[in-house]
Amino acid sequence: MVNVLFVCLGNICRSPAAEGVFRSLVEREGLAGRIACDSAGTGSWHVGKVPDARMRAAAKRRGYDLDSLRGRQVTAGDFERFDYVLAMDGENLANLSILCPKGREVRLGRLLDFAPEMGRRDVPDPYYGGADGFERVLDLVEAGARGLLADIRARYL
Ligand code: 4NP
């Protein structure tokens, strides 16, 4: 089993979207028995909460159901359990680097490392912006998910 963890700040917008999008892709490709994923936040404010209503609505319009997801905070132990620990932006990555145990750094990266064609490294935080921010998150996350799956196929499957 290949295990992937998506990480943002709150675990209520970007990383739950990445989890839902990537799980859907994995299921469509018939790989649900080979690849598992989860999401977490670097912050603790939204532990136990359902993803943001705006993120859930935007995801649902594209066929992704995020309603069963609940927020949790990332832990150092996640670097033992997950083969990929993927930050949504540079701030998340910096915070994960502090938490990451020695020798596990190779597992750490950014989701958009896998979508160089999108021309940016960060999935922007949509929390304080308008509706277009949530669509942008989904566009970037869909591209990252495709590239990530290609990387997993090349390295593990
Ligand atoms: P996320 O978005 O990191 O994509 O889940 C945010 C959600 C909540 C907050 C910030 C970002 N907040 O400050 O509460």
Side-chain angles (χ1 to χ4, degrees):
M1 204 76 178
V2 180
N3 288 291
V4 179
L5 183 66
F6 301 103
V7 181
C8 63
L9 175 60
N11 193 212
I12 57 167
C13 296
R14 293 166 292 174
S15 62
E19 178 183 352
V21 166
F22 187 64
R23 179 170 296 122
S24 168
L25 177 61
V26 163
E27 287 171 0
R28 281 202 306 278
E29 295 290 323
L31 292 168
R34 310 286 306 279
I35 303 171
C37 66
D38 190 12
S39 65
T42 59
S44 61
W45 311 283
H46 302 288
V47 169
K49 301 275 175 59
V50 74
D52 186 282
R54 298 164 296 174
M55 192 73 256
R56 282 186 286 130
K60 203 161 281 183
R61 286 194 293 273
R62 297 194 192 194
Y64 309 113
D65 189 342
L66 309 183
D67 292 355
S68 66
L69 305 183
R70 295 293 180 273
R72 76 167 178 90
Q73 191 171 23
V74 67
T75 69
D78 285 325
F79 288 93
E80 317 295 335
R81 284 176 52 208
F82 291 93
D83 304 288
Y84 294 79
V85 178
L86 299 178
M88 295 298 125
D89 68 25
E91 184 188 328
N92 310 147
L93 184 63
N95 286 317
L96 286 169
S97 298
I98 293 166
L99 190 65
C100 183
K102 288 251 173 311
R104 300 292 185 190
E105 295 85 357
V106 65
R107 301 175 175 215
L108 188 51
R110 300 190 200 218
L111 177 62
L112 294 186
D113 291 345
F114 300 100
E117 75 279 9
M118 299 305 276
R120 60 191 309 162
R121 306 184 73 197
D122 289 345
V123 180
D125 183 348
Y127 194 67
Y128 293 107
D132 57 333
F134 294 89
E135 298 302 329
R136 187 80 184 125
V137 167
L138 289 167
D139 292 341
L140 291 167
V141 157
E142 285 175 342
R146 287 191 296 271
L148 171 61
L149 183 58
D151 190 78
I152 293 173
R153 283 190 195 278
R155 292 176 59 189
Y156 292 97
L157 305 184

